[in-house]
Amino acid sequence: KTSNYDVVVIGAGGAGFSAAITARNAGANVVLLEKMPAVGGNSLISGAEMNVAKNWVQPKLGINDDSPELHAQDTFKGGDGKGDMKVINVMTHQALDAAKWCRDYLGVRFEDDNLFFFGGHSRKRALIPVGHTGTEFIAKFQAKADELGIPVITNMKAEELIKNKDGRVVGVKATMDGSEYTFNAKGGVVLATGGFGANPEMVKKYNPKIDERFKTTDAPGSTGEALYMAERAGAELVNMGYIQTYPICDPLSGAIELIADARFDGAIMLNQEGKRFVEELQRRDVLSEAILNQTGQYCWVLWNDNIGKISNTVKAHANEYEAFTKQGIMTTCDDLKCITDFTKIPFDQLQKTVKRVSDMAGKGNDKDFNHRAGLMDMQQGKYYVIKAVPSTHHTMGGVRINEKAEALTAEGKVIPGLWAAGEVTGVTHGTNRLGGNAYTDIIVFGRIAGEAAAKAAK
Ligand code: ADP
């Protein structure tokens, strides 16, 4: 079966929805293809915090010295200088506009008095969606797509990009239940198929160090075949070996423990001996490596109500609280003795560590690991503790794009008719994506790609 559109968007995560909605608003007849039975991808299960320098919450927290330039520098440095500064600058400079679009046009609700301070950032700058997950975004994306009459076809897997004799991408061959479908795209195709973190063979192929020990945090659709599809169409794949593990995950399923985000407000990480071993706000790669160097290759994340009343994660992630407690990897205690009973961490050392942390509370006082936000007083319960391991999380590599989200060949030539946005691309984050940058990336470049593909159809 063949159908004709101005723009075909592949992948219904945050990047794909942003592209499709923007293309539609630019006057294009657009379709969104999703291979899974449900939309959302990694964007749905993400914590969905979004880094935006100069956002509207910062002044309320007394942060008045942030800038897109600083955000760009942090991003570049956080990726060990392997990101493309031109692309990064577009992301950080358009972040505020993208966030306002989400808030004002899509109706995404953000917490208006709280921000996230992710590792590797020099300023607290991540907006937090209500509920602290991507559900808020994806629900609003889906509602807007419905309102605009954009067909979102699930169970439809893109298999091959179609090129005309001039080398322009003019459509997509796809399959559903073994039947073949052709989607012609007058303006072009936007590739928004996400990463390959849920494909262990592919992960190991590009980075042999990330082997069977790692589970994944990712949505089951993050298997990356579309990267090979882009490669067959002439796109260059870059930085494929840079694969991020998320340090704090469920040892059984591999899923992120969003409840342990109390870390961003002062929760500490302990090894089985009851000692801190790393600055808790370090980059994810540093944390993951540090955890794998501890006894048993896991750690414990510990916090008390003093921290919990700020981070609010037990309430915000009530479902996790229940599940992890039932599963036996998390517990709640009135005192440290009970934490010892559960974790088998030696009581003396636990007490010592908690006392030392409390003595060093406040910004600039952590003599051991230089906690950038400042440790918190942890002398009083209640206490919460959860066991955590690193798992495969984000694949930084992918299709090389330029600052217009155009896909490029190995010679640096634009592939006409092909745009890419989101985790499928490979030049924004360098070796290591900083927390809160995925949502900024997908929305900024999704919009750019959608707009450009729509224009090309005119
Ligand atoms: P991003 O954050 O970049 O938007 P996501 O993981 O949120 O990435 O979304 C990517 C979506 O693309 C997922 O829902 C995934 O199932 C879908 N997808 C991946 N490969 C294909 C494909 N070949 N055809 C259609 N959809 C795909």
Side-chain angles (χ1 to χ4, degrees), residues 252-264:
L252 298 174
S253 71
I256 291 198
E257 297 171 345
L258 292 170
I259 197 164
D261 281 352
R263 182 166 61 89
F264 302 111

Side-chain angles (χ1 to χ4, degrees), residues 9-18 32-46 138 153 155-160 172-175 191-195 218-227 229 394 421-425 438-439 441-443:
V9 181
I10 313 173
F17 270 113
S18 297
L32 180 53
L33 312 181
E34 168 57 52
K35 71 175 178 182
M36 300 301 284
V39 300
N42 274 344
S43 301
L44 179 65
I45 59 173
S46 161
I138 298 298
I153 310 177
N155 294 309
M156 182 64 81
K157 183 173 177 201
E159 306 276 1
E160 215 55 59
V172 178
K173 278 207 165 77
T175 54
L191 196 63
T193 48
D218 287 4
S222 297
T223 46
E225 324 76 33
L227 285 156
M229 174 173 85
H394 188 100
E423 196 177 347
V424 73
T425 66
Y439 253 81
D441 187 28
I442 62 183
I443 293 173

Side-chain angles (χ1 to χ4, degrees), residues 92-109:
T92 62
H93 283 83
Q94 298 199 16
L96 183 58
D97 199 42
K100 286 183 176 162
W101 182 73
C102 294
R103 184 191 64 181
D104 302 335
Y105 176 64
L106 298 176
V108 171
R109 295 165 303 155

Side-chain angles (χ1 to χ4, degrees), residues 87-158:
V87 172
I88 295 172
N89 264 312
V90 170
M91 175 177 89
T92 62
H93 283 83
Q94 298 199 16
L96 183 58
D97 199 42
K100 286 183 176 162
W101 182 73
C102 294
R103 184 191 64 181
D104 302 335
Y105 176 64
L106 298 176
V108 171
R109 295 165 303 155
F110 294 98
E111 293 195 353
D112 57 25
D113 53 1
N114 199 9
L115 294 170
F116 250 53
F117 199 170
F118 280 109
H121 289 276
S122 62
R123 298 292 182 282
K124 200 171 189 178
R125 59 166 74 98
L127 295 165
I128 306 169
V130 164
H132 298 215
T133 75
T135 307
E136 173 67 13
F137 277 93
I138 298 298
K140 300 293 158 68
F141 275 131
Q142 179 73 67
K144 190 56 83 177
D146 289 348
E147 180 192 319
L148 296 172
I150 299 171
V152 181
I153 310 177
T154 52
N155 294 309
M156 182 64 81
K157 183 173 177 201

Side-chain angles (χ1 to χ4, degrees), residues 145-433:
D146 289 348
E147 180 192 319
L148 296 172
I150 299 171
V152 181
I153 310 177
T154 52
N155 294 309
M156 182 64 81
K157 183 173 177 201
E159 306 276 1
E160 215 55 59
L161 295 168
I162 306 166
K163 279 184 156 183
N164 70 10
K165 59 177 189 328
D166 305 324
R168 184 178 183 87
V169 174
V170 291
V172 178
K173 278 207 165 77
T175 54
M176 180 194 268
D177 297 333
S179 303
E180 287 188 17
Y181 294 78
T182 299
F183 295 89
N184 292 320
K186 191 174 157 210
V189 172
V190 177
L191 196 63
T193 48
F196 59 97
N199 182 339
E201 287 82 40
M202 197 166 167
V203 165
K204 203 171 157 183
K205 167 178 160 188
Y206 285 105
N207 188 334
K209 277 201 260 172
I210 306 184
D211 55 18
E212 293 72 17
R213 291 175 303 165
F214 293 83
K215 296 199 166 64
T216 182
T217 65
D218 287 4
S222 297
T223 46
E225 324 76 33
L227 285 156
Y228 295 132
M229 174 173 85
E231 197 173 40
R232 289 193 294 275
E236 185 187 13
L237 303 186
V238 290
N239 296 334
M240 293 292 283
Y242 300 144
I243 296 171
Q244 180 171 75
T245 56
Y246 192 85
I248 307 293
C249 303
D250 175 1
L252 298 174
S253 71
I256 291 198
E257 297 171 345
L258 292 170
I259 197 164
D261 281 352
R263 182 166 61 89
F264 302 111
D265 297 298
I268 55 173
M269 290 163 59
L270 301 176
N271 58 21
Q272 187 55 45
E273 290 73 35
K275 295 189 173 150
R276 287 175 71 216
F277 53 92
V278 68
E279 188 224 341
E280 289 80 357
L281 292 184
Q282 258 293 0
R283 280 164 39 165
R284 292 168 175 180
D285 52 348
V286 176
L287 294 177
S288 297
E289 189 62 34
I291 294 168
L292 291 178
N293 286 331
Q294 305 308 309
T295 307
Q297 304 187 328
Y298 60 82
C299 75
W300 296 99
V301 183
L302 176 75
W303 70 99
N304 69 346
D305 267 341
N306 196 23
I307 294 163
K309 70 177 185 261
I310 302 169
S311 71
N312 197 34
T313 56
V314 169
K315 262 209 202 106
H317 304 290
N319 51 340
E320 282 193 9
Y321 183 64
E322 197 179 318
F324 290 143
T325 302
K326 209 179 266 167
Q327 199 176 300
I329 61 162
M330 172 163 198
T331 200
T332 308
C333 287
D334 287 328
D335 55 30
L336 291 175
K337 181 74 190 40
C338 153
I339 295 285
T340 280
D341 291 344
F342 182 79
T343 60
K344 309 285 180 258
I345 292 174
F347 180 63
D348 288 357
Q349 184 57 52
L350 183 62
Q351 225 180 3
K352 232 193 237 167
T353 301
V354 167
K355 168 135 196 341
R356 184 160 174 81
V357 163
S358 304
D359 288 346
M360 299 191 298
K363 207 173 165 159
N365 298 335
D366 176 12
K367 292 183 198 68
D368 296 343
F369 295 100
N370 198 17
H371 194 283
R372 72 196 69 194
L375 294 163
M376 298 284 283
D377 186 338
M378 295 183 68
Q379 287 290 18
Q380 299 300 320
K382 274 180 182 157
Y383 292 100
Y384 306 86
V385 74
I386 187 165
K387 192 177 199 176
V389 300
S391 99
T392 302
H393 182 50
H394 188 100
T395 48
M396 272 73 67
V399 174
R400 184 191 288 286
I401 57 166
N402 61 16
E403 66 277 20
K404 296 179 193 159
E406 294 166 330
L408 304 178
T409 67
E411 292 74 42
K413 288 214 181 79
V414 170
I415 302 173
L418 185 62
W419 289 264
E423 196 177 347
V424 73
T425 66
V427 296
T428 317
H429 310 292
T431 59
N432 175 56
R433 178 183 63 86

